């Protein structure tokens, strides 16, 4: 079985959003770039699955649509334990564009189990995984909190609105991972970091695709009025305010 | 031409989000001067279907087919696409919840329709079609233009003030084409949370952080939640420590919620936590540290120990009732 993880390169989650060029571009000054947290959990789960020989996983590949500056993040994935990496050399303009690029690559390079994170920490579109599956006319399972392989069948646990379900899917399948799929992201060991330098990172030319959406500009949230402080021995007053001022209870 | 809205029901009853969706869709239909068509998939009785008319649906299309008993993303996306084509949908509105997030991207490819995910307001213009959405996990917003002929929007729950606008819609049943190759997944072992308020649906959420000191100290959180008809939640360290299940983790990498009232007990308010809760209409913070960032996001704050404040809170709510 071959596993693919679609990686996004995103600002570290502690990053404060700032913009430049009349608020049309994200200010990357001093930003630390990381593997999108959900993609990292999916990668972790893939490595866990591969470590059990009974699952017969031959390869874990990571793929990113991005320009050369995403390569350090891809090397991190190789250091954590992916076997090889593919970078489609294009600026990721929107989810449709990204999914179309990956789909095109997969038409000649098939995989069995494809992971996407449930959203990316930048544009929060929750979209690439489902789009990719539709481009390839294969099933997708979303909000996935567990993946196991039993007798070469992929068993997936997913959240539905108000519960969980176990899903068995034909392969190939796109599993869209959320929290829970792995307990904690795996951290690269020194040996992994050394090995990552030698692992293949193939660069592929993009195909022509037109993005369907375009960002006009960004805005920062309006500052909130200051917090109204209540004395700790007067919780009654808080309840009174919640009832009569905020009118939320 | 129309604005098509995909509604969701639970055991034949519409969820509140469905009324929000229909109301939202009808406002866009007004901007475009077209009809609002609501699609329902599942076994929903006529009386219930009619309720969609209370939020200005002009037409209701009901699909009731045994093959669609379980959510299969590929099959459901195909059904929505068939109805969208039949009704000449210019805009398709779907909930920004687990189901909607699973379907909207597939539909986007099927209809070659640009996707605006997680909107909370009406488009600022329909020509060009410009929406306003959260980016960077709520740390910023963007104005986004959708350039394709058909547009898909997913609407965040509890974000749009929906209103009654009673119409008498026509109800039509529709038999979609459902070829076997649309069904490549099988569902087993369904576990529904019953009798519990869902975190993502809850209007009030009581949430605990490391300031609760231990998972054994959770009874005041649960008692307060019970009294207020609220769901319980927690911060990431709490779920990482295993004090509470990961389903309760709210924050950037957990659940993103927007209740009317969010009570943060012993949560310092790391930027990732705030990203998950900042859309809440009212935030109450209880923390011993007066410099905790949660107070910058909160509307009401108490500097104090949860072990003392929560029992007082419970008492005060009891006196109220």
């Amino acid at each position: 079985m071959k596993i693919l993880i679609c990686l996004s390169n995103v600002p570290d989650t502690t990053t404060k959003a700032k913009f430049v060029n009349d608020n049309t571009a994200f200010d990357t000054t001093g930003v630390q770039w990381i593997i999108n947290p959900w993609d990292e959990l999916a990668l972790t789960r893939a490595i866990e699955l591969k470590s059990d020989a009974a699952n017969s996983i031959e390869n874990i590949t990571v793929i990113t649509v991005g320009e050369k500056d995403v390569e350090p993040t891809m090397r991190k994935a190789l250091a954590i334990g992916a076997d090889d990496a593919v970078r489609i050399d294009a600026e990721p303009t929107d989810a449709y564009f990204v999914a179309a690029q990956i789909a095109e690559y997969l038409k000649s390079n098939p995989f069995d189990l494809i992971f996407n994170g449930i959203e990316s920490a930048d544009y929060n579109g929750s979209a690439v995984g489902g789009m990719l599956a539709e481009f390839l006319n294969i099933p997708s399972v979303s909000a996935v909190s567990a993946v196991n392989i039993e007798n070469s069948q992929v068993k997936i646990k997913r959240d539905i609105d108000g519960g969980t379900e176990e899903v068995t899917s034909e392969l190939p399948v796109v599993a869209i991972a959320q929290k829970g799929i792995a307990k904690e992201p795996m951290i690269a060991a020194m040996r992994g970091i050394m090995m990552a330098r030698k692992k293949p990172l193939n660069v592929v030319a993009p195909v022509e695709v037109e993005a369907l959406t375009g960002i006009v500009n960004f805005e920062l949230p309006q500052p909130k009025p200051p917090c109204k402080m209540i004395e700790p021995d007067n919780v009654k007053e808080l309840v009174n305010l919640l009832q009569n001022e905020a009118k939320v209870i | 031409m129309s604005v098509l809205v995909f509604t969701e029901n639970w055991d034949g009853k519409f969820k509140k989000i469905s009324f929000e969706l229909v109301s939202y869709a009808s406002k866009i239909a007004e901007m475009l001067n077209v009809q609002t068509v609501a699609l329902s998939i599942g076994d929903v009785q006529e009386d219930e279907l009619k309720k969609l008319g209370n939020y200005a649906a002009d037409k209701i299309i009901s699909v009731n087919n045994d093959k669609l008993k379980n959510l299969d993303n590929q099959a459901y996306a195909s059904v929505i696409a068939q109805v969208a084509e039949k009704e000449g949908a210019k805009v398709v509105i779907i909930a920004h919840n687990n189901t909607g997030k699973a379907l909207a991207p597939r539909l986007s490819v099927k209809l070659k329709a640009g996707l605006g995910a997680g909107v909370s307001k009406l488009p600022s213009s329909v020509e060009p079609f410009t929406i306003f959405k959260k980016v960077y996990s709520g740390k910023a917003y963007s104005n986004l233009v959708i350039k394709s002929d058909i547009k898909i929007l997913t609407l965040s729950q509890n974000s749009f003030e929906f209103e009654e606008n009673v119409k008498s819609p026509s109800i039509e049943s529709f038999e979609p084409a459902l070829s076997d190759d649309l069904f490549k997944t099988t569902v087993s072992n369904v576990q529904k949370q019953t009798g519990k308020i869902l975190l993502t649906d809850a209007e009030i959420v009581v949430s605990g952080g490391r300031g609760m000191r231990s998972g054994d100290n959770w009874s005041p959180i649960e008692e307060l939640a019970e009294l207020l008809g609220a769901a319980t939640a927690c911060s990431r360290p709490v779920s990482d420590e295993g004090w509470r299940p990961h389903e309760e983790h709210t924050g950037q990498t957990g659940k993103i919620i927007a209740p009317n009232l969010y009570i943060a007990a012993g949560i310092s308010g790391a930027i990732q936590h705030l990203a998950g809760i900042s859309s809440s209409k009212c935030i109450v913070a209880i923390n011993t540290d007066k410099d905790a960032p949660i107070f910058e996001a909160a509307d009401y704050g108490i500097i104090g120990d949860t072990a003392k404040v929560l029992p007082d809170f419970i008492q005060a709510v009891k006196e109220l009732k």
Side-chain angles (χ1 to χ4, degrees):
Chain A
M1 189 179 289
K2 289 169 78 179
I3 300 183
L4 179 75
I5 293 124
C6 303
L7 282 195
S8 282
N9 176 49
V10 299
D12 176 52
T13 52
T14 56
T15 308
K16 284 201 167 130
K18 283 180 295 186
F19 301 97
V20 290
N21 299 348
D22 264 344
N23 288 328
T24 57
F26 182 72
D27 183 357
T28 55
T29 318
V31 169
Q32 286 270 11
W33 296 88
I34 59 164
I35 303 172
N36 185 41
W38 298 271
D39 306 349
E40 196 177 25
L41 287 174
L43 173 63
T44 299
R45 184 59 192 149
I47 295 165
E48 288 169 3
L49 287 170
K50 193 183 169 207
S51 70
D52 183 348
N55 291 331
S56 359
I57 289 159
E58 44 184 295
N59 205 64
I60 300 172
T61 302
V62 294
I63 191 166
T64 302
V65 177
E67 292 172 315
K68 193 158 175 54
D69 56 1
V70 306
E71 288 192 0
T73 299
M74 303 188 76
R75 290 276 172 210
K76 257 184 242 168
L78 293 170
I80 294 170
D83 298 300
D84 52 24
V86 176
R87 177 170 72 82
I88 301 178
D89 189 21
E91 187 195 345
T93 42
D94 79 346
Y96 186 87
F97 176 90
V98 169
Q101 297 297 342
I102 298 174
E104 197 54 38
Y105 177 79
L106 293 185
K107 279 177 192 162
S108 41
N109 300 277
F111 284 82
D112 305 292
L113 175 57
I114 301 160
F115 282 108
N116 278 261
I118 194 156
E119 64 175 52
S120 67
D122 44 10
Y123 297 138
N124 311 130
S126 328
V128 172
M131 288 180 176
L132 178 60
E134 190 64 41
F135 273 121
L136 297 171
N137 193 27
I138 61 173
S140 57
V141 182
S142 195
V144 170
S145 59
V147 172
N148 288 292
I149 299 172
E150 290 168 24
N151 310 320
S152 337
Q153 277 204 314
V154 174
K155 303 260 182 194
I156 298 171
K157 189 173 140 193
R158 74 167 166 204
D159 281 9
I160 49 171
D161 291 294
T164 60
E165 288 178 345
E166 255 173 49
V167 180
T168 313
S169 175
E170 283 179 23
L171 300 181
V173 62
V174 176
I176 300 162
Q178 63 161 346
K179 189 166 160 118
I181 188 157
K183 202 164 179 293
E184 271 173 36
M186 223 173 253
I187 294 166
M190 188 44 85
R191 188 165 163 269
I193 296 169
M194 302 300 283
M195 279 167 65
R197 292 187 197 150
K198 292 188 191 132
K199 287 180 178 172
L201 194 165
N202 302 312
V203 181
V204 177
V207 288
E208 203 164 305
V209 177
E210 208 179 325
L212 301 181
T213 62
I215 286 173
V216 183
N217 58 14
F218 295 98
E219 289 179 26
L220 290 172
Q222 297 294 324
K224 251 196 137 154
C227 179
K228 202 176 255 188
M229 300 309 290
I230 294 125
E231 288 303 313
D233 50 11
N234 195 9
V235 185
K236 262 191 184 168
E237 175 60 12
L238 171 67
V239 172
N240 175 36
L241 288 166
L242 291 176
Q243 186 181 31
N244 298 313
E245 188 178 80
K247 297 189 168 57
V248 286
I249 59 173
Chain B
M1 287 204 288
S2 67
V3 172
L4 177 66
V5 44
F6 172 67
T7 64
E8 289 173 47
N9 67 80
W10 205 355
D11 296 331
K13 299 276 177 237
F14 287 116
K15 301 180 182 181
K16 179 178 151 230
I17 177 72
S18 292
F19 303 127
E20 292 172 18
L21 290 168
V22 175
S23 183
Y24 180 80
S26 75
K27 303 279 178 196
I28 295 181
E30 231 170 79
M31 293 167 86
L32 294 168
N33 201 15
V34 297
Q35 280 209 319
T36 308
V37 178
L39 165 64
S40 158
I41 298 181
D43 189 6
V44 183
Q45 298 301 307
E46 195 170 320
D47 280 356
E48 186 71 15
L49 287 172
K50 274 187 186 155
K51 285 185 189 165
L52 300 175
N54 295 346
Y55 303 92
D58 297 298
K59 181 174 177 180
I60 293 154
I61 294 181
S62 170
V63 172
N64 187 7
N65 187 310
D66 271 354
K67 283 187 176 171
L68 300 169
K69 225 170 145 220
N70 290 312
L71 175 66
D72 183 296
N73 296 334
Q74 206 170 356
Y76 267 59
S78 166
V79 172
I80 302 172
Q82 289 175 45
V83 175
E85 275 158 25
K86 182 172 100 69
E87 296 297 323
K90 298 313 266 177
V91 183
V92 183
I93 312 290
I94 299 178
H96 194 64
N97 59 11
N98 282 338
T99 308
K101 284 190 231 176
L103 298 178
R106 296 202 72 121
L107 198 58
S108 165
V109 171
K110 263 195 162 341
L111 301 173
K112 209 176 180 210
L115 172 61
V119 295
S120 52
K121 280 199 219 171
L122 287 168
S124 57
S125 118
V126 288
E127 195 56 58
F129 200 92
T130 311
I131 58 150
F132 186 72
K133 75 176 286 280
K134 270 202 250 185
V135 287
Y136 297 100
S137 309
K139 295 170 199 166
Y141 295 88
S142 82
N143 289 297
L144 184 85
V145 169
I146 304 180
K147 298 182 268 193
S148 50
D149 183 35
I150 304 174
K151 289 95 182 161
I152 300 176
L153 303 181
T154 58
L155 176 68
S156 296
Q157 279 179 270
N158 202 26
S159 65
F160 182 71
E161 294 293 333
F162 64 112
E163 51 185 58
E164 271 201 316
N165 178 2
V166 181
K167 291 195 179 174
S168 347
S170 59
I171 299 179
E172 187 180 290
S173 66
F174 174 68
E175 277 303 329
L178 292 170
S179 61
D180 286 344
D181 65 352
L182 283 173
F183 297 90
K184 298 182 188 119
T185 64
T186 16
V187 170
S188 60
N189 199 5
V190 181
Q191 304 212 325
K192 285 206 174 176
Q193 284 187 330
T194 44
K196 215 179 143 190
I197 297 161
L198 297 176
L199 183 50
T200 46
D201 284 348
E203 296 193 357
I204 303 178
V205 172
V206 185
S207 187
R210 228 179 335 206
M212 297 297 295
R213 295 190 186 88
S214 151
D216 299 333
N217 295 341
W218 234 256
S219 56
I221 298 254
E222 282 168 343
E223 190 179 349
L224 184 59
E226 170 98 40
L227 277 170
L228 294 169
T232 53
C234 69
S235 66
R236 175 169 175 173
V238 167
S239 73
D240 282 355
E241 291 288 336
W243 295 357
R244 301 294 292 178
H246 77 81
E247 291 87 358
E248 287 200 0
H249 165 204
T250 40
Q252 188 169 347
T253 53
K255 298 248 174 1
I256 312 272
I257 55 171
N260 292 336
L261 173 60
Y262 182 78
I263 300 168
I267 294 177
S268 62
I271 189 165
Q272 297 97 326
H273 186 76
L274 299 181
I277 60 140
S278 59
S279 298
S280 306
K281 300 209 169 73
C282 177
I283 297 173
V284 170
I286 304 161
N287 205 294
T288 46
D289 175 9
K290 68 173 172 36
D291 297 320
I294 189 79
F295 289 116
E296 282 164 43
D299 299 280
Y300 301 103
I302 292 183
I303 298 162
D305 192 331
T306 53
K308 184 182 171 302
V309 176
L310 283 178
D312 287 357
F313 203 153
I314 290 165
Q315 190 53 39
V317 174
K318 276 185 181 159
E319 282 168 20
L320 192 78
K321 307 235 157 171

